[in-house]
Each structure stands twice: as C-alpha cells, then as structure tokens.
Amino acid sequence: MMGIRIIEENCTGCAVCIRACPFNAVKMENDKAVILDNCTLCGSCADACKFDAIDFQAERGTGMGDLSSYRDVWVFAEQKGGIADSAVFELLGAGRRLADQLGEDLAAVLIGNKVRPVAQQLIAYGADKVYWVDHPDLEYFNDELYADNLSYLIQRYRPNIVLLAATVYGRSLGPRVAARIGTGLTADCTGLEIDVDTRNLMQTRPAFGGNLMATIVCPDHRPQMATVRPRVMRPLEPNSGRSGHILRQQAQLKQDLKTRVLQVVEEAGETLNLLEADIIVSGGRGLGDPKNFALVEELAKTLGGAVGASRAAVDAGWIPYSHQVGQTGKTVGPKIYFACGISGAVQHLAGMSSSDIIVAVNKDPDAPIFKVATYGIVGDVLEILPLITNEFKKALGK
Amino acid sequence: MNIIVCIKQVPATNDVKINKDTNTLVRDEAQSVINPFDTYAVEEGVRLKEATGGKITVISMGIPKVADILKECIAVGADDGILLSDRAFAGADTLATSAALAAGINKIGDYDIIICGKQAIDGDTGQVGPELAERLGIPHITCVRKIEEIKEDYIRAQRMTDFGYEVIECSLPAVITVVKEINEPRLPSIKGMMKAKKAVIPVWTADDVGADKDKIGLRGSPTKVIKTFTPEININTEIIDGAPEEQAHKLVEKLLQLQIKVPV
Ligand SMILES: Cc1cc2nc3c(=O)[nH]c(=O)nc-3n(C[C@H](O)[C@H](O)[C@H](O)COP(=O)(O)OP(=O)(O)OC[C@H]3O[C@@H](n4cnc5c(N)ncnc54)[C@H](O)[C@@H]3O)c2cc1C
Ligand SMILES: Nc1ncnc2c1ncn2[C@@H]1O[C@H](COP(=O)(O)O)[C@@H](O)[C@H]1O
C-alpha cells in the first residue's frame, strides 16, 4: 500500500525532515514529526531522515515496460505560412547535442501545407531526418489535426525524446499528444541534459514564478516529452551542405473534424513582435504616468526595437496586455533588454532574465532589478531615458 | 448550459520565499488562495450562465482545506462545488491530475463546457486543460480571450497567440482555458456569501469517482521531480555613475561596442 508514516519510536524530533520537505507538509508536534494532508509523497523527508523514522512506501507506476525500442530525438517543427518558428532552430541545436550524446538520430516533424522548403532548412540546422506531412487541410495549426498526425507518427516510429517549443501552439499540442500516448510532459524547460548513468533526459524548469528550479525525469515512459522555453537554447550555425533524409508521411485526416480555425490575425501593431525583437525597451510603474510611455517608445523606435511592459503598467491601463513581459505575460530573450522604472519582481524576471544584456534604470539603488542587470543606472527614468535616446540618435546619425 | 470550472489552490504569497540553504519554500506564509487565472474561469462561467441559463459546478482536486476556496466560488455565483480529495490522488503530475479530474467530471456527468485557467501559478504548466480534454475525448481551445458565440453544441472563440489572435470554432462539449484579458472577475455579493456559508461541499474519493488507481496520484504520474534548487544569478552588475548626462553617455558607449545592428 502506498503511503507515508512516521515511526514515532525512531523520531528524535530533529526536524531535518521539515527542512527537506519542498511542500511544507511536515510539522512538529510534541517533538515528533507529523505528515500533513498536503504531502505529495515525493519522499524527500524519508531520504533526509537519519533515524529511519519515516516509513515511505510510495509505489510508483510500473510504466511501459521495455523501453529499449524507443530511439531518436524528435523536434516538432512549428511553422506558420511555411516559415519555421525561430525556436525550432534552437530546439534542433539542443536536440543535436542530446542525440549525439545518446548516439541516436535527430529528427524533425514537419506538418503543414507546401512546407517542403522548410525540410531542407531543418536539415541545415542539424536534423538527420525530417518526417514531412503535407496537405492543404494542414495549412493552419489545428490542435485536433496536428495532434492526430504527431501522435500517429510517435506511435509508429517510437521516438525516445520529443521536444516542442513552449509557444502557445506547442503548449497546447504537447499535452494533448502526451495524454493520448500516456506519457509525461515537462513544461517550459530551460535546461536539458542526459543523465550519464540512466540515459534519461533531465529536464530543468522554473517553478513558482522562477523562485525555484526543478529537475524532472520521466524514467519509465516513452517518449520523454518536453516543451522548451524559446530563446534559451542556442541554434547551430546552419550548414546548407548537410545531408539528411526527408521522409514523406501520409497525412492523417478525418471527416468529422470538431475544431476549425476560421481566421488567423496578426496584431503586430505599431511595434515589432516582442518575441522576435533583438532589442526591447520595457516600462513599469516608475514611469509614473501613461504619457511617459512615449519616452519608452521613442527609444524603442530609435533602436528598431519593441516595447514591453511590467504587469503593474498593464494593470494600470497604460499599455495593452499583449506587451506584458513576465510569468503571466510573454517570455522574451532579446540581445538587449531595457527595464525602465521596473522594480524587478520575480514574476517579471521570469519573463526576461535570459536576455543577453539587461540595462536597468531605477531610482531605487536597492531595486531587485539591479541583481540581474548587466548595466545599472540609479536615477530618474524620466530624466535619463531621453538622454539615452539622444545619445543613440547622435551616435547613429539619426 | 451545464458548466464545469476547474480550480486549483496555490500558495498565496506574491513573492514565494525560498530558503537558500535548503531550497525549500519558506513556510510562514502557509495561506493559500485560488489560482489567479482560475478566477477568470469562474467569472466566465458565471457570465455564460447569466447569458444562457443552466448550472455551474466548480471542481478541484486537493487537500480538504480546498473546500473553503470552492465556497468562495459559490459566493461569486457558482451553484455547486465538488472536492476530489484522497491520499490516492497525492503526488499527481499533470497527467495524473487530468485523470482524477476526468473521473470526477464523468461522475458529474452532464456537461456542455469545461473552463480552466490558462495555467496555475505554482507549476506554470498549463497542461491540465488540454490533457483533460484528451481524456474526455472532446476538443479544446487554449488561451481564450473572448467567447464570440456559444450555442447548444458549438462555440466560437478568440484564442490569443504569440503574434495576435485567431478565431476558432469547435463542437461542444469542449474544454477552454482562459487568459486574464477575457473578463474582470466580480466581488462576492452578500447573497452569494450567505449561500456560500450554507453550502456543503461533497468530498469524493478515488473510489467514489471510480478512478483507475494506476492512472492517478504518484502511481499515475510518469514524471518525477528529482531535484529542486534556487536559481543562480551570477551577474556582476556594473553600476554606471556620474551626472545623468554622463551616465547616459557612458551607457550608450558600452552598448555601441556590442555592435548591435540597428535597422534604419
Ligand atoms: C501571479 C502573479 C503573476 C505576475 N505576473 C507578472 C508578469 O507577468 N509580469 C510582471 O511584470 N509582473 C507580474 N506580476 C507582478 C509583479 O509581482 C510586480 O508587481 C510587477 O512586476 C511590478 O511592476 P513594476 O516593476 O512596474 O512596479 P513597481 O514594483 O511599483 O516598481 C516600480 C519601480 O520604479 C521605480 N521608480 C519609480 N519612480 C521612478 C523614477 N522616476 N525613475 C526611476 N525609477 C523609478 C521604483 O523604485 C520601483 O522600483 C505578477 C504577480 C503575481 C502575483
Ligand atoms: N488540482 C486541480 N484541481 C482542479 N483544477 C486544476 C488542478 N490543477 C490544475 N487545474 C486546472 O488546470 C489549469 C492549468 O493548471 P496547470 O496545468 O497545473 O498549470 C488550472 O488553471 C485549473 O483550471
């Protein structure tokens, strides 16, 4: 029987288990440990106990049995209108490394309409094989059809690892497919490594808004599936001379489709797409007034960058939600990120801390944003920002 | 229209504090709240009910204390709350959570639409909604920012994407997950609070919902956390001093050395 129990005779009340529990699920009562209701049976306390005072018999599921027939690392090649999402190349870079370490092939799964040219590109970026499914009905991303096709290929070819970008589409398709196959899926990973002993994929991801990192494995089920945060992994230099196999696959279609995409609307607006921008200038509550966002926009325009915002600025109604960066907004990773009047709350950092260079302007020298900034300026953003814009204009001859 | 809303309890604190030595949560803020995204899910359910009539049931898998949060949902307009609580559910990852919820929802039976939050702020996965839909064999739409039209067996909605939005239709029953843009949740009414106070939240165990023990809880979870740690921030911040003009000048000089390409 699965369960956890304190063996009172052995418990010395040392409280090591309390510190070991990541879920606050142990407390001390009359110098004896007590397991609370919110215990998730992770076993950390039992591992930590030096006195064999925790009887822990959490029976894990048996899994899928023999896993040796599952081979190769797959990348789902998300594309729109025949153009691959930039995250796909990052995944191929990461996937290549994993495949080489495992001595397996790297394959991409390409689903769409008239997307053959993308296949060649996927090979240039590191794929050994491309499973290519092409049909007019697959023109637009459709959860139902794409899930049918990806699941079919997984069931047929049995990959060891399947990576998807943690985009809106990837985070919708991934769980649908994982549930159909009955395997695990780790969301929004920022680190992927192979464990040398077990050959399992170790998937590291932020939780609690980036306060805590967790490393997760999927030991007894295949494929090991993960969505991967865009702009964290590095793509390889493309090599158009690389050779690989393009394997055309029959499209899985059905008559009684339940889901239809009626319209796809791009809302780039005045500014560049935050996810693709090399430079992002973001404003926060420190701007003090919605009209001061003009200062942010001016610098962004001068540098050909995009405009971002903290949640406080969005909640105040200064700028639309689509500009929000952070845990509940977008995750970005530009070359330069300007944080103007942003305190640097963990939820904001969760969305931008993988930027190459972070510039912070804040009047409070103790603002947490300075802990992650490459360059910090302590000062009044309303004064400094126009000066920075002017300096750039001068230097760039604008 | 019969509406089911899935809600999750999460730690209440804005900035979850982590003990750097042990890599664990600091425990003085034991208070828990409804996952913020789920408040939009509940509100959307209430609005749908107001528009089409019917009934809203909120369901959660969690510890007994979660009953209080289900009552809060009744205070803002839900009709019933159901709590799935059992040691056998403990240790669930998203796949096992979706199995437990699917079993509970199948016991509730008659439903037209299931509404989830976009993601839970503790795990940030956003996986439970689509996994639940797959288990129930019904379609799903994630990141819904607006329901354009809903009829007996059909929904048309706007889904937020990375580059804008798209309009999707699907048959009902279906699962949708909602983003913050969709509405502004209301505060509880006096009448609602009275109703919540009197409400009794049934607690269903794994046996009550006929859940397959191999599919729920730790046993039904393919993924396993092997390590937690505090993220390392090893940045040497360079603070640029001087008068404002000087600061701006020095900064721009440093940045220009990076040879950034600026489109003209
Ligand atoms: C579940 C949850 C999810 C969240 N998701 C997100 C998210 O996705 N994105 C996000 O950004 N936040 C998010 N938050 C909110 C986050 O916790 C912070 O509240 C928010 O980021 C603060 O925004 P801010 O830095 O603009 O405002 P504040 O924290 O108010 O900071 C303003 C800063 O400006 C400085 N300042 C003021 N005046 C000036 C001046 N004249 N010159 C220079 N500096 C000045 C101040 O010193 C201060 O540091 C989330 C919170 C929760 C609970
Ligand atoms: N234990 C749970 N009980 C009920 N609903 C849940 C539970 N966990 C997740 N959900 C729902 O699934 C959504 C996404 O959660 P997650 O996949 O954990 O990020 C939440 O916003 C809830 O609507």
mmCIF file of all heavy atoms in Angstrom, chain A residues 295-323:
data_model
loop_
_atom_site.group_PDB
_atom_site.id
_atom_site.type_symbol
_atom_site.label_atom_id
_atom_site.label_comp_id
_atom_site.label_asym_id
_atom_site.label_seq_id
_atom_site.Cartn_x
_atom_site.Cartn_y
_atom_site.Cartn_z
ATOM 1 N N LEU A 295 8.353 58.063 -23.892
ATOM 2 C CA LEU A 295 9.814 58.029 -23.761
ATOM 3 C C LEU A 295 10.346 56.639 -24.096
ATOM 4 O O LEU A 295 11.381 56.479 -24.743
ATOM 5 C CB LEU A 295 10.233 58.414 -22.336
ATOM 6 C CG LEU A 295 9.747 59.761 -21.808
ATOM 7 C CD1 LEU A 295 10.190 59.952 -20.360
ATOM 8 C CD2 LEU A 295 10.273 60.890 -22.679
ATOM 9 N N VAL A 296 9.620 55.636 -23.630
ATOM 10 C CA VAL A 296 9.990 54.254 -23.904
ATOM 11 C C VAL A 296 9.868 53.968 -25.401
ATOM 12 O O VAL A 296 10.753 53.388 -26.032
ATOM 13 C CB VAL A 296 9.070 53.300 -23.095
ATOM 14 C CG1 VAL A 296 9.234 51.870 -23.541
ATOM 15 C CG2 VAL A 296 9.358 53.441 -21.604
ATOM 16 N N GLU A 297 8.753 54.425 -25.950
ATOM 17 C CA GLU A 297 8.509 54.188 -27.383
ATOM 18 C C GLU A 297 9.571 54.873 -28.246
ATOM 19 O O GLU A 297 10.011 54.326 -29.264
ATOM 20 C CB GLU A 297 7.112 54.682 -27.771
ATOM 21 C CG GLU A 297 6.049 53.644 -27.454
ATOM 22 C CD GLU A 297 4.668 54.235 -27.203
ATOM 23 O OE1 GLU A 297 4.421 55.385 -27.629
ATOM 24 O OE2 GLU A 297 3.851 53.535 -26.565
ATOM 25 N N GLU A 298 9.976 56.048 -27.811
ATOM 26 C CA GLU A 298 10.961 56.802 -28.591
ATOM 27 C C GLU A 298 12.302 56.048 -28.644
ATOM 28 O O GLU A 298 12.897 55.925 -29.708
ATOM 29 C CB GLU A 298 11.138 58.195 -27.950
ATOM 30 C CG GLU A 298 12.041 59.150 -28.710
ATOM 31 C CD GLU A 298 11.525 59.523 -30.102
ATOM 32 O OE1 GLU A 298 10.302 59.402 -30.323
ATOM 33 O OE2 GLU A 298 12.342 59.922 -30.959
ATOM 34 N N LEU A 299 12.731 55.522 -27.512
ATOM 35 C CA LEU A 299 13.990 54.770 -27.512
ATOM 36 C C LEU A 299 13.841 53.501 -28.351
ATOM 37 O O LEU A 299 14.720 53.144 -29.135
ATOM 38 C CB LEU A 299 14.419 54.419 -26.076
ATOM 39 C CG LEU A 299 15.695 53.584 -25.957
ATOM 40 C CD1 LEU A 299 16.884 54.260 -26.639
ATOM 41 C CD2 LEU A 299 16.038 53.286 -24.500
ATOM 42 N N ALA A 300 12.697 52.829 -28.203
ATOM 43 C CA ALA A 300 12.467 51.604 -28.976
ATOM 44 C C ALA A 300 12.515 51.916 -30.470
ATOM 45 O O ALA A 300 13.125 51.183 -31.255
ATOM 46 C CB ALA A 300 11.128 50.986 -28.596
ATOM 47 N N LYS A 301 11.905 53.007 -30.847
ATOM 48 C CA LYS A 301 11.865 53.379 -32.256
ATOM 49 C C LYS A 301 13.276 53.688 -32.765
ATOM 50 O O LYS A 301 13.669 53.245 -33.843
ATOM 51 C CB LYS A 301 10.951 54.605 -32.432
ATOM 52 C CG LYS A 301 10.215 54.596 -33.753
ATOM 53 C CD LYS A 301 9.211 55.743 -33.842
ATOM 54 C CE LYS A 301 9.842 56.901 -34.599
ATOM 55 N NZ LYS A 301 9.155 58.168 -34.373
ATOM 56 N N THR A 302 14.012 54.416 -31.962
ATOM 57 C CA THR A 302 15.375 54.784 -32.357
ATOM 58 C C THR A 302 16.229 53.536 -32.616
ATOM 59 O O THR A 302 17.046 53.509 -33.522
ATOM 60 C CB THR A 302 16.030 55.620 -31.236
ATOM 61 O OG1 THR A 302 15.177 56.722 -30.952
ATOM 62 C CG2 THR A 302 17.394 56.129 -31.654
ATOM 63 N N LEU A 303 15.997 52.511 -31.809
ATOM 64 C CA LEU A 303 16.819 51.303 -31.920
ATOM 65 C C LEU A 303 16.155 50.213 -32.753
ATOM 66 O O LEU A 303 16.680 49.110 -32.868
ATOM 67 C CB LEU A 303 17.123 50.760 -30.516
ATOM 68 C CG LEU A 303 17.930 51.691 -29.620
ATOM 69 C CD1 LEU A 303 18.080 51.105 -28.228
ATOM 70 C CD2 LEU A 303 19.297 51.961 -30.230
ATOM 71 N N GLY A 304 15.002 50.508 -33.312
ATOM 72 C CA GLY A 304 14.287 49.489 -34.070
ATOM 73 C C GLY A 304 13.857 48.335 -33.187
ATOM 74 O O GLY A 304 13.829 47.187 -33.607
ATOM 75 N N GLY A 305 13.532 48.635 -31.945
ATOM 76 C CA GLY A 305 13.166 47.573 -31.013
ATOM 77 C C GLY A 305 11.665 47.532 -30.726
ATOM 78 O O GLY A 305 10.886 48.272 -31.325
ATOM 79 N N ALA A 306 11.291 46.668 -29.815
ATOM 80 C CA ALA A 306 9.889 46.502 -29.442
ATOM 81 C C ALA A 306 9.657 47.086 -28.048
ATOM 82 O O ALA A 306 10.601 47.255 -27.277
ATOM 83 C CB ALA A 306 9.517 45.027 -29.452
ATOM 84 N N VAL A 307 8.396 47.350 -27.744
ATOM 85 C CA VAL A 307 8.042 47.922 -26.450
ATOM 86 C C VAL A 307 7.443 46.847 -25.547
ATOM 87 O O VAL A 307 6.514 46.141 -25.940
ATOM 88 C CB VAL A 307 7.038 49.079 -26.628
ATOM 89 C CG1 VAL A 307 6.534 49.568 -25.282
ATOM 90 C CG2 VAL A 307 7.688 50.226 -27.393
ATOM 91 N N GLY A 308 7.991 46.736 -24.351
ATOM 92 C CA GLY A 308 7.450 45.799 -23.371
ATOM 93 C C GLY A 308 6.949 46.561 -22.159
ATOM 94 O O GLY A 308 7.074 47.792 -22.084
ATOM 95 N N ALA A 309 6.394 45.826 -21.193
ATOM 96 C CA ALA A 309 5.855 46.500 -20.014
ATOM 97 C C ALA A 309 5.805 45.527 -18.851
ATOM 98 O O ALA A 309 5.779 44.313 -19.037
ATOM 99 C CB ALA A 309 4.451 47.016 -20.296
ATOM 100 N N SER A 310 5.809 46.069 -17.651
ATOM 101 C CA SER A 310 5.580 45.240 -16.477
ATOM 102 C C SER A 310 4.076 45.088 -16.289
ATOM 103 O O SER A 310 3.281 45.828 -16.861
ATOM 104 C CB SER A 310 6.170 45.882 -15.228
ATOM 105 O OG SER A 310 5.363 46.998 -14.860
ATOM 106 N N ARG A 311 3.715 44.150 -15.447
ATOM 107 C CA ARG A 311 2.296 43.952 -15.200
ATOM 108 C C ARG A 311 1.668 45.166 -14.529
ATOM 109 O O ARG A 311 0.512 45.504 -14.802
ATOM 110 C CB ARG A 311 2.106 42.723 -14.324
ATOM 111 C CG ARG A 311 0.695 42.578 -13.850
ATOM 112 C CD ARG A 311 0.408 41.191 -13.414
ATOM 113 N NE ARG A 311 -0.676 41.205 -12.455
ATOM 114 C CZ ARG A 311 -1.050 40.143 -11.781
ATOM 115 N NH1 ARG A 311 -0.446 39.000 -11.942
ATOM 116 N NH2 ARG A 311 -2.048 40.233 -10.932
ATOM 117 N N ALA A 312 2.441 45.833 -13.668
ATOM 118 C CA ALA A 312 1.871 46.989 -12.984
ATOM 119 C C ALA A 312 1.452 48.047 -14.007
ATOM 120 O O ALA A 312 0.394 48.671 -13.870
ATOM 121 C CB ALA A 312 2.879 47.556 -11.994
ATOM 122 N N ALA A 313 2.271 48.229 -15.044
ATOM 123 C CA ALA A 313 1.932 49.207 -16.078
ATOM 124 C C ALA A 313 0.716 48.759 -16.879
ATOM 125 O O ALA A 313 -0.139 49.570 -17.254
ATOM 126 C CB ALA A 313 3.133 49.425 -17.001
ATOM 127 N N VAL A 314 0.638 47.454 -17.120
ATOM 128 C CA VAL A 314 -0.507 46.922 -17.871
ATOM 129 C C VAL A 314 -1.780 47.030 -17.027
ATOM 130 O O VAL A 314 -2.819 47.485 -17.502
ATOM 131 C CB VAL A 314 -0.251 45.456 -18.289
ATOM 132 C CG1 VAL A 314 -1.508 44.817 -18.861
ATOM 133 C CG2 VAL A 314 0.896 45.388 -19.292
ATOM 134 N N ASP A 315 -1.666 46.648 -15.765
ATOM 135 C CA ASP A 315 -2.845 46.697 -14.890
ATOM 136 C C ASP A 315 -3.355 48.121 -14.729
ATOM 137 O O ASP A 315 -4.553 48.346 -14.545
ATOM 138 C CB ASP A 315 -2.520 46.109 -13.513
ATOM 139 C CG ASP A 315 -2.473 44.588 -13.558
ATOM 140 O OD1 ASP A 315 -2.803 44.024 -14.623
ATOM 141 O OD2 ASP A 315 -2.108 43.968 -12.542
ATOM 142 N N ALA A 316 -2.435 49.087 -14.777
ATOM 143 C CA ALA A 316 -2.853 50.483 -14.653
ATOM 144 C C ALA A 316 -3.522 50.979 -15.936
ATOM 145 O O ALA A 316 -4.025 52.097 -15.984
ATOM 146 C CB ALA A 316 -1.642 51.355 -14.315
ATOM 147 N N GLY A 317 -3.491 50.133 -16.974
ATOM 148 C CA GLY A 317 -4.145 50.508 -18.222
ATOM 149 C C GLY A 317 -3.297 51.429 -19.093
ATOM 150 O O GLY A 317 -3.799 52.062 -20.014
ATOM 151 N N TRP A 318 -1.984 51.456 -18.826
ATOM 152 C CA TRP A 318 -1.120 52.347 -19.594
ATOM 153 C C TRP A 318 -0.783 51.794 -20.969
ATOM 154 O O TRP A 318 -0.431 52.512 -21.873
ATOM 155 C CB TRP A 318 0.204 52.619 -18.836
ATOM 156 C CG TRP A 318 0.016 53.307 -17.524
ATOM 157 C CD1 TRP A 318 -1.153 53.805 -17.011
ATOM 158 C CD2 TRP A 318 1.026 53.587 -16.552
ATOM 159 N NE1 TRP A 318 -0.935 54.369 -15.788
ATOM 160 C CE2 TRP A 318 0.401 54.259 -15.478
ATOM 161 C CE3 TRP A 318 2.398 53.342 -16.484
ATOM 162 C CZ2 TRP A 318 1.097 54.683 -14.345
ATOM 163 C CZ3 TRP A 318 3.096 53.759 -15.360
ATOM 164 C CH2 TRP A 318 2.447 54.423 -14.300
ATOM 165 N N ILE A 319 -0.857 50.465 -21.076
ATOM 166 C CA ILE A 319 -0.442 49.799 -22.316
ATOM 167 C C ILE A 319 -1.143 48.444 -22.357
ATOM 168 O O ILE A 319 -1.395 47.859 -21.304
ATOM 169 C CB ILE A 319 1.113 49.693 -22.345
ATOM 170 C CG1 ILE A 319 1.610 49.108 -23.663
ATOM 171 C CG2 ILE A 319 1.656 48.887 -21.166
ATOM 172 C CD1 ILE A 319 3.083 49.374 -23.926
ATOM 173 N N PRO A 320 -1.494 47.925 -23.557
ATOM 174 C CA PRO A 320 -2.253 46.670 -23.615
ATOM 175 C C PRO A 320 -1.478 45.456 -23.094
ATOM 176 O O PRO A 320 -0.245 45.426 -23.123
ATOM 177 C CB PRO A 320 -2.557 46.491 -25.110
ATOM 178 C CG PRO A 320 -2.335 47.814 -25.740
ATOM 179 C CD PRO A 320 -1.353 48.551 -24.883
ATOM 180 N N TYR A 321 -2.251 44.483 -22.670
ATOM 181 C CA TYR A 321 -1.710 43.243 -22.096
ATOM 182 C C TYR A 321 -0.736 42.545 -23.042
ATOM 183 O O TYR A 321 0.217 41.903 -22.589
ATOM 184 C CB TYR A 321 -2.879 42.320 -21.750
ATOM 185 C CG TYR A 321 -2.500 40.927 -21.331
ATOM 186 C CD1 TYR A 321 -1.676 40.707 -20.229
ATOM 187 C CD2 TYR A 321 -2.974 39.824 -22.032
ATOM 188 C CE1 TYR A 321 -1.335 39.431 -19.846
ATOM 189 C CE2 TYR A 321 -2.634 38.536 -21.654
ATOM 190 C CZ TYR A 321 -1.817 38.347 -20.562
ATOM 191 O OH TYR A 321 -1.484 37.072 -20.193
ATOM 192 N N SER A 322 -0.942 42.691 -24.346
ATOM 193 C CA SER A 322 -0.071 41.972 -25.281
ATOM 194 C C SER A 322 1.395 42.407 -25.136
ATOM 195 O O SER A 322 2.295 41.742 -25.632
ATOM 196 C CB SER A 322 -0.547 42.156 -26.715
ATOM 197 O OG SER A 322 -0.653 43.528 -27.021
ATOM 198 N N HIS A 323 1.655 43.521 -24.453
ATOM 199 C CA HIS A 323 3.036 43.965 -24.247
ATOM 200 C C HIS A 323 3.629 43.427 -22.947
ATOM 201 O O HIS A 323 4.796 43.666 -22.651
ATOM 202 C CB HIS A 323 3.103 45.495 -24.210
ATOM 203 C CG HIS A 323 2.804 46.127 -25.543
ATOM 204 N ND1 HIS A 323 3.784 46.519 -26.421
ATOM 205 C CD2 HIS A 323 1.633 46.409 -26.155
ATOM 206 C CE1 HIS A 323 3.227 47.028 -27.518
ATOM 207 N NE2 HIS A 323 1.923 46.968 -27.377
#
